[in-house]
Amino acid sequence: MKNKKSELGVCYYPEQWPDNLWADDAKKMADIGLSRVRIGEFAWSFIEPEPEQFEWAWLDRAIDTLAEQNLSVILGTPTATPPKWLVDAYPEILARDRDGRVRGFGSRRHYCFSSPVYRRETARIVETMAERYGAHDAVVAWQTDNEYGCHDTVRSYSEAARDAFREYARQRYSTIDALNEAWGCSFWSQRYRDFSEIELPNLTVTEPNPAHVLAFFRFSSDQVVSYNKLQTDILRRLSPGRDLLHNFMGFFFDFDHFDVSEDLDAVGWDSYPLGFLDVAPFPYADKERYLRQGHPDLAAFHHDLYRACGRGRWQIHEQQPGPVNWAEHNPAPLNGMVRLWTAEAFAHGAECVNYFRWRQAPFAQEQMHAGLERPNGSPAPAFNEAKEAAKDIASLKKIDPKPTSPVAIIFSYDAAWLFETQPQGGTWRYPAIVFEWYSALRRFGVDVDFIRDTDDFNSYHLIVCPSLPILPDSFVARCANSTAKFLFGPRTGSKTREYQVPPDLAPGALRELIPLTVTHSESLPEWRRENATLHGAEIAGKTWLDHVETELAPIAARDDGAGLWFREGRVSYLTTLPDEVFLGLVMHAHLTDAGVANLLLPPDLRIARTETQTFAFNYGPDQTEIPEEIAPRGGVYELGGDRLGPASFAVWNHT
Ligand code: GAL
């Protein structure tokens, strides 16, 4: 089952089509250069239409039909859609939302991760499927479930979740006094006498205790991890040698994707650049400029984050092919974008890109979602783009792996939950901050890795940490023992593991690296700017301001002396979130100081490098030129050239 590199594939739902179409579909897939097909992830009621009565004939035939065209199969476990008979037999498997309402049957993801009955039923269906197809030659990989957490389903407020949370609390705190202490239960008379008194942190009159909420978020993430592991343990046993995968989502942080990935062989994610641009809080100007391309850093951000989760191995399970159905507005991509997105994924190290989906469904929830084919089987625009993408891969012959980047960003899911719990300012959005800093680095043409706060820091020249409220135990020692330069943002070191203010105030243990103490902090409205000048440029801080006591002279300060940027040796601390100009100056200074070659790119251009190749992508609506410093004129391009029209890209060898 060797994993081939740079493959194209498609998501296919044989159960939704008459079986006399399958052979022709499979042939067309192979003809346009696809080699993988993802099937099965919503097919439970077709596999087991009645309890314990299995219908395999159709799935056997579907897999064989694909295999006849040399298409390999990623088989999904169907647990995202428990059938009606199962729900009726065991209504306790259903999740409950924050308001306590049952999440009913009729769409998907209605189960609760904590339900022991659902875990039992999951094990049963996964085992049965793995016994049947685990050794099938065409089945090269499994996808567990589908998009954990989609439709806000990580956190369930069911009885099963409450019982499991009580057990989690008992394990974590051992005694109820320890829990009372950790959560600060002397406040508002919250003392508990026993773990059996602990409720879930919903339906309170006002804000629940943040330590309680954070504990619940951590618990909910762990439930996803153990639920996924339930499946991977079975699949590893019954289907050895196959890659175990899951498809993550964009801009989604409700569980720790690093933790879930530890039980997977490679990570997948579902890339819908136009849908995400529409639903995420991007400035209006970006939404307008990139309406039909997606934000230039949006796909890349997730490619890099999930490459980190997959320890280098990742792929796209679902690539947007045209308008989707689920955003508020659903424009069509510019001609060429589907092909560009495909190439960009490979430039960031993807092993495979699967388009979602083969043929647009004429019925049900996603009937307005494009596919490679229209509902009547005629080719949609993405059909030809997929074909072009297959030719791109063939003409490049080989796309090399992505090496370790010189720059890393520390990303923490725990930080995301902590700030979500008590943001202390409506404009403080941790994932958006990380994205903004990532984007600022990418504007300088550098490749970026994501790392965890528990990783080794030695491979990097520059480590950027937009904020890390809780510093893990060995964090400061690992910084001190590395040779990297560090850039920390505000609120770093501002909380203890149990969501309290550190005894010696923020930035806690970080003070060993940079001698300052945060005496108080302010959060600021969207429109407020803390103005200063730096090297003659007008700069500003926004969103947040830490006021510090320190002997250090600030590198940048407000007119009244309040420091915005401090530095000691290899370590910088920003007391505020820099505006665009300030952020650019800070990143440029740090890249240069860390010895990382960089060049400010034209605004719509992005670069990504494999070991030997450089890819350049034009995300803008106009033509742009690749700067000479990056691609020497007269150089030999493997694809494209110096000048890039809208939605086009170039590739050249940089060795
Ligand atoms: C994903 C999901 C698919 C399909 C797709 C539509 O979130 O995994 O099943 O719903 O979105 O864009």
Side-chain angles (χ1 to χ4, degrees):
M1 293 305 126
K2 219 173 122 287
N3 210 69
K4 283 194 283 157
K5 296 283 171 147
S6 314
E7 287 187 81
L8 294 179
V10 71
C11 308
Y12 188 52
Y13 301 92
E15 70 276 21
Q16 296 175 5
W17 304 101
D19 56 4
N20 60 6
L21 295 184
W22 299 352
D24 195 40
D25 286 342
K27 180 162 183 327
K28 276 196 273 178
M29 290 172 192
D31 284 351
I32 64 169
L34 310 183
S35 53
R36 288 201 160 200
V37 186
R38 187 189 72 150
I39 62 170
E41 78 274 17
F42 300 123
W44 195 336
S45 69
F46 281 77
I47 294 169
E48 192 184 14
E50 300 279 343
E52 300 287 351
Q53 284 182 27
F54 294 94
E55 281 191 7
W56 299 116
W58 73 272
L59 189 50
D60 290 353
R61 211 152 13 95
I63 294 176
D64 291 345
T65 307
L66 297 169
E68 274 159 29
Q69 296 295 333
N70 284 324
L71 296 162
S72 60
V73 170
I74 305 174
L75 190 53
T77 65
T79 48
T81 46
K84 184 70 164 73
W85 58 258
L86 187 65
V87 170
D88 287 346
Y90 305 109
E92 70 270 35
I93 68 175
L94 295 174
R96 278 181 188 267
D97 70 10
R98 194 171 293 106
D99 296 327
R101 287 176 309 209
V102 171
R103 311 205 73 174
F105 181 84
S107 64
R108 59 180 173 183
R109 301 219 54 77
H110 31 288
Y111 70 85
C112 172
F113 284 102
S114 298
S115 161
V117 174
Y118 197 59
R119 286 182 178 235
R120 185 194 71 207
E121 290 299 304
T122 294
R124 191 178 60 78
I125 189 70
V126 172
E127 211 160 85
T128 314
M129 273 186 87
E131 274 162 2
R132 181 135 194 123
Y133 299 111
H136 197 298
D137 275 346
V139 175
V140 297
W142 291 84
Q143 173 186 299
T144 55
D145 202 282
N146 190 75
E147 289 193 340
Y148 291 136
C150 189
H151 320 301
D152 193 15
T153 52
V154 167
R155 297 160 189 163
S156 165
Y157 298 82
S158 68
E159 269 183 33
R162 186 202 60 194
D163 292 350
F165 181 59
R166 287 177 179 168
E167 190 47 37
Y168 170 89
R170 193 189 306 277
Q171 298 288 334
R172 182 173 168 86
Y173 299 101
S174 301
T175 68
I176 198 68
D177 287 346
L179 178 145
N180 282 322
E181 177 74 27
W183 291 6
C185 290
S186 56
F187 193 78
W188 286 353
S189 199
Q190 291 173 67
R191 284 164 64 90
Y192 297 102
R193 294 169 304 162
D194 190 82
F195 288 102
S196 61
E197 291 181 340
I198 308 282
E199 303 292 343
L200 297 179
N202 62 330
L203 305 178
T204 52
V205 174
T206 183
E207 184 189 0
N209 185 326
H212 184 176
V213 178
L214 183 58
F216 176 64
F217 286 0
R218 287 173 175 159
F219 153 81
S220 300
S221 176
D222 286 358
Q223 292 298 87
V224 180
V225 175
S226 66
Y227 179 79
N228 182 63
K229 186 164 187 312
L230 171 75
Q231 300 207 11
T232 56
D233 282 351
I234 295 167
L235 295 169
R236 280 204 197 290
R237 179 161 51 82
L238 297 174
S239 190
R242 273 72 179 174
D243 278 337
L244 304 188
L245 309 159
H246 178 76
N247 54 334
F248 294 147
M249 290 183 288
F251 290 131
F252 186 79
F253 309 100
D254 287 359
F255 63 86
D256 192 317
H257 293 52
F258 288 110
D259 287 350
V260 169
S261 303
E262 278 176 15
D263 298 310
L264 301 170
D265 295 305
V267 157
W269 86 279
D270 298 342
S271 181
Y272 293 94
L274 305 192
F276 297 142
L277 179 75
D278 190 77
V279 298
F282 281 102
Y284 179 78
D286 285 350
K287 292 202 183 214
E288 192 186 18
R289 186 163 187 83
Y290 302 121
L291 180 77
R292 296 196 159 83
Q293 304 95 301
H295 187 285
D297 299 305
L298 197 153
F301 173 87
H302 294 93
H303 297 341
D304 291 342
L305 178 60
Y306 293 139
R307 187 177 67 250
C309 291
R311 302 169 300 282
R313 290 201 55 200
W314 73 278
Q315 63 181 53
I316 295 207
H317 278 221
E318 300 178 13
Q319 173 62 61
Q320 174 164 5
V324 299
N325 63 301
W326 45 261
E328 198 180 338
H329 317 94
N330 299 294
L334 277 190
N335 285 339
M337 267 332 277
V338 172
R339 180 179 168 198
L340 182 150
W341 291 327
T342 307
E344 191 180 26
F346 291 122
H348 286 257
E351 295 177 3
C352 178
V353 174
N354 294 309
Y355 301 99
F356 182 90
R357 48 186 277 154
W358 175 248
R359 186 163 43 242
Q360 181 175 347
F363 41 68
Q365 279 91 331
E366 293 181 352
Q367 55 186 275
M368 296 303 289
H369 194 298
L372 297 190
E373 286 193 346
R374 302 193 178 96
N376 68 354
S378 60
F383 184 94
N384 288 320
E385 294 210 28
K387 209 160 144 183
E388 291 300 313
K391 285 191 200 146
D392 292 339
I393 296 172
S395 78
L396 289 173
K397 293 193 188 74
K398 160 165 178 287
I399 302 172
D400 280 317
K402 199 156 179 66
T404 302
S405 308
V407 182
I409 294 182
I410 297 177
F411 185 80
S412 161
Y413 287 93
D414 198 65
W417 309 331
L418 183 144
F419 287 133
E420 182 185 342
T421 304
Q422 199 172 62
Q424 176 65 10
T427 47
W428 181 278
R429 291 184 215 99
Y430 171 74
I433 297 164
V434 178
F435 182 84
E436 207 170 300
W437 288 36
Y438 171 85
S439 198
L441 285 165
R442 298 278 300 144
R443 286 289 316 280
F444 284 99
V446 296
D447 294 277
V448 176
D449 285 352
F450 282 96
I451 56 173
R452 299 181 89 163
D453 55 13
T454 47
D455 281 343
D456 185 69
F457 297 146
N458 270 313
S459 326
Y460 295 98
H461 297 287
L462 172 63
I463 293 180
V464 169
C465 180
S467 192
L468 188 64
I470 298 172
L471 301 173
D473 283 346
S474 62
F475 185 85
V476 166
R478 272 179 291 121
C479 295
N481 295 336
S482 78
T483 53
K485 317 264 174 183
F486 289 88
L487 169 62
F488 292 103
R491 307 182 79 171
T492 299
S494 62
K495 297 290 170 187
T496 66
R497 171 93 186 128
E498 293 299 341
Y499 216 140
Q500 301 195 3
V501 176
D504 50 355
L505 305 181
L510 197 72
R511 199 175 291 107
E512 293 168 37
L513 300 177
I514 183 160
L516 50 82
T517 298
V518 177
T519 54
H520 61 289
S521 304
E522 302 178 78
S523 62
L524 304 166
E526 191 86 56
W527 44 265
R528 174 69 195 183
R529 292 290 177 271
E530 301 297 312
N531 297 317
T533 51
L534 179 64
H535 311 317
E538 305 274 310
I539 60 161
K542 59 178 188 177
T543 310
W544 191 266
L545 189 60
D546 285 334
H547 294 264
V548 302
E549 266 175 17
T550 182
E551 304 278 290
L552 298 173
I555 295 175
R558 271 192 333 204
D559 293 345
D560 67 356
L564 302 182
W565 174 10
F566 291 95
R567 183 164 204 168
E568 165 87 344
R570 291 186 286 124
V571 177
S572 278
Y573 184 89
L574 299 179
T575 60
T576 187
L577 294 180
D579 74 349
E580 200 180 332
V581 177
F582 189 9
L583 191 58
L585 289 171
V586 168
M587 291 307 178
H588 183 244
H590 281 85
L591 287 168
T592 307
D593 185 46
V596 180
N598 66 89
L599 176 80
L600 189 63
L601 299 173
D604 300 324
L605 190 74
R606 291 297 183 276
I607 301 287
R609 296 172 192 83
T610 67
E611 271 164 13
T612 59
Q613 288 148 321
T614 302
F615 289 64
F617 303 96
N618 180 13
Y619 265 90
D622 312 308
Q623 177 172 284
T624 191
E625 218 171 302
I626 304 174
E628 230 170 312
E629 297 88 327
I630 297 180
R633 290 299 176 263
V636 182
Y637 285 89
E638 295 177 27
L639 285 174
D642 301 335
R643 292 209 173 83
L644 295 177
S648 35
F649 64 97
V651 187
W652 65 96
N653 190 302
H654 61 231
T655 55

